[in-house]
Amino acid sequence: MSKSKTKLAGKREEKIDASMWGKQSTRQERPGATRCEWFRRSKFAMFIHWGLYSQAGGRWKGKTYYGIAEWIMHLARVPAKEYETLAPRFNPVDFNAIEWVRLAKAAGMKYIVITAKHHEGFAMFRSKVSRFNIVDATPFKRDPLKELAKACRKEGLKLGFYYSQYQDWHEPDAAGNSWDFKQKGDFNKYLHEKAIPQIKELLTNYGPVALIWFDTPGNISREAAQELLDMVRKLQPGCLVNGRLGHGLGDYISLGDQEVPLTAPKRLWETIDTHNDTWAYAWCDHRWKSARELVSRLVRVVGLGGNYALNVGPTGRGVIPAESASILRQVGQWVSRNSESIYGSEPSPLGRQAWGCSTLKSGKLYLHVLNWPSDGELWVPGLKANVKGAYLLTTRRNLKFSRKGGILRIQIPKLAPDSIATVIVLDVAGAIKARGRGKYVYNGLVNEMDAPFAKLVNCRHGKRSWMEKFGDWHHVDVVENWSNGSSARWDVTALKPGMFSLCADYECQPDAEGSELEMSLGETRWSFPVLCTGGGACGRVRIRHETLGTIAIPKAGKYTLSIRGLDVKGESAFLLQKLTLEPV
Ligand code: FHN
């Protein structure tokens, strides 16, 4: 790209906070439903962050910068010219497109999205638009996206490209690099001389592109976002565009990073998650989510109707870290055993239960049991359906069941047949409906009463998102704005009598320390002081899981569990995430 000497950059620096994902429209269905059909069915994808930053691996000049490693240039405030010196060292000779694609396939993933150009501005493909690309600027000289496109075609996976449309820290005219380019840049120039021509290259040189994944729309104008969308539609009408294009445009919503929601958005959506904390490779990040955790996240997303895109960060040599690859293979074995319950499934009307969640497909309800009851029975209350049979998905072993008091009781083995998650299939004739979503208290399981499902008086539902030092995003739904007399209440049905520990997960900043709240369940009530948990700094929320006491549920039936403000100090300094009833 020829650099403009006229107007130079000086965009506001892009902050790392949740606002950078842009406002995405939650309006329901829109034209393009057919275009989205493959996406709707696919459910599970591989996301790949790979660029020059992978060569740095989270370190600059010998110093480790903790955080998301693809932001190393930003974290270490590296001038663009100096950052270019990474390119001659970037020689990913161990890159093997077919191996990556086969790994994705072995994990059960149906499509891949790879960073074609991240905020660093480096094109991971042959580009005539800018020499800052992998073919022209590195000793590698190959175009990995070409190789991946070919491998994906061979293995039957779809391929999409991530393109950072707004931030480009290499270009003075783009947004994001305030440490290097001090003056005002001409964003239109960057848009028309780099972003649009490069996206055109991606859409014309690599065969059918499944989707263009835009990111951090920042202050991009409506016209610019529309222009990008029109170009994608014109060049490849079948190509999807994610909601981070900005201005409510695009085919579907990408939730916040690493966000596994409790309730489903109304539009088509995805969760983008990452295997450890960072997206790109960082030498110091080994916090791999286990196969069990990944499967649990996958089925919780799919159970609400979303897609789960899981990121891996290959090294500067082009290798997906061995620990990550090995865990993905374990996930894939689980997915392959249980594939019928995942691909092409619909969200289930049952909602999340203490034992897990469920999906739905052509007369079958798939119960994903993440927390296996130890008493030999799985209870499914609130299900309004004519259940003809029940069996374990992987072995097809039939399970006995009965119905009593509106509760389906399935006899299950004492030990979970699958240590990751066991799927039980219910064969159903006719319509499947459910009532009392998420309102049941199970004996022997941890029952979570989450903020979004509470009925509130004089306080309100809210949400907090923040990133920890190591780059991991966290999201919590909360009840906020407490004052004296505020209350949150859950109307629940206890399935059996029992003893429980009653716990509250809350944040209390110093201003609210010593506030007094009152809990009640049936006839039992007691007040308790809230204790300071810290939090507040850099928008980080510090939740404490506090045991408040032991409580007896004398008999099965309906109860109201509530929490009320008696003497609340610093009304914005207390946040309630959830109450839990845990077996004693
Ligand atoms: O800034 C990027 C980040 O580096 C990463 O690419 C994630 C993936 O969703 N998107 C942005 C932050 O949300």
Side-chain angles (χ1 to χ4, degrees), residues 24-94:
Q24 299 179 65
S25 163
T26 50
R27 268 181 296 132
Q28 235 161 345
E29 266 337 315
R30 45 181 57 205
T34 341
R35 184 171 49 233
C36 297
E37 206 33 52
W38 69 266
F39 181 87
R40 204 182 288 281
R41 278 195 319 270
S42 299
K43 302 297 175 197
F44 193 21
M46 177 179 271
F47 209 10
I48 304 176
H49 275 63
W50 198 40
L52 277 187
Y53 41 75
S54 314
Q55 179 64 29
R59 236 186 320 229
W60 194 260
K61 291 189 176 160
K63 178 174 169 196
T64 294
Y65 289 80
Y66 294 98
I68 38 182
E70 68 283 6
W71 276 62
I72 188 76
M73 181 177 175
H74 187 287
L75 295 171
R77 301 287 191 268
V78 186
K81 272 275 156 251
E82 193 184 328
Y83 192 76
E84 285 176 4
T85 61
L86 272 178
R89 288 186 278 138
F90 184 48
N91 193 12
V93 286
D94 295 334

Side-chain angles (χ1 to χ4, degrees), residues 20-21 49 70-71 118-119 162 213 215-216 244 257 279:
M20 68 184 171
W21 299 320
H49 275 63
E70 68 283 6
W71 276 62
H118 203 268
H119 312 329
Y162 172 113
W213 211 93
D215 204 5
T216 65
R244 290 198 191 171
D257 291 351
W279 298 84

Side-chain angles (χ1 to χ4, degrees), residues 240-399:
L240 302 190
V241 167
N242 73 327
R244 290 198 191 171
L245 172 59
H247 296 280
L249 298 172
D251 294 293
Y252 67 89
I253 299 180
S254 303
L255 295 189
D257 291 351
Q258 296 176 265
E259 181 174 6
V260 176
L262 290 168
T263 54
K266 291 201 175 66
R267 271 182 70 193
L268 190 59
W269 61 280
E270 70 177 356
T271 282
I272 49 257
D273 206 1
T274 183
H275 196 171
N276 41 353
D277 288 338
T278 172
W279 298 84
Y281 170 74
W283 75 272
C284 55
D285 186 353
H286 304 280
R287 296 206 326 154
W288 310 110
K289 295 175 187 72
S290 68
R292 187 177 148 76
E293 201 176 342
L294 292 177
V295 166
S296 155
R297 292 167 84 83
L298 166 72
V299 299
R300 278 188 280 149
V301 169
V302 175
L304 286 175
N307 276 18
Y308 184 68
L310 177 63
N311 178 75
V312 294
T315 63
R317 286 187 69 92
V319 176
I320 295 175
E323 303 95 314
S324 178
S326 144
I327 295 170
L328 290 194
R329 286 200 182 87
Q330 291 170 42
V331 170
Q333 283 159 11
W334 184 91
V335 173
S336 141
R337 295 196 286 279
N338 297 285
S339 61
E340 185 189 316
S341 70
I342 301 290
Y343 308 119
S345 66
E346 303 282 331
S348 146
L350 261 187
R352 196 159 141 195
Q353 305 288 326
W355 44 257
C357 52
S358 47
T359 54
L360 187 69
K361 199 161 85 184
S362 38
K364 288 187 164 70
L365 196 59
Y366 299 90
L367 313 179
H368 295 263
V369 188
L370 301 165
N371 307 310
W372 193 255
S374 56
D375 59 0
E377 272 195 338
L378 180 77
W379 285 23
V380 187
L383 180 64
K384 292 169 87 183
N386 183 2
V387 178
K388 297 285 188 195
Y391 58 91
L392 295 172
L393 176 58
T394 50
T395 58
R396 307 269 151 179
R397 181 181 141 192
N398 282 328
L399 300 173

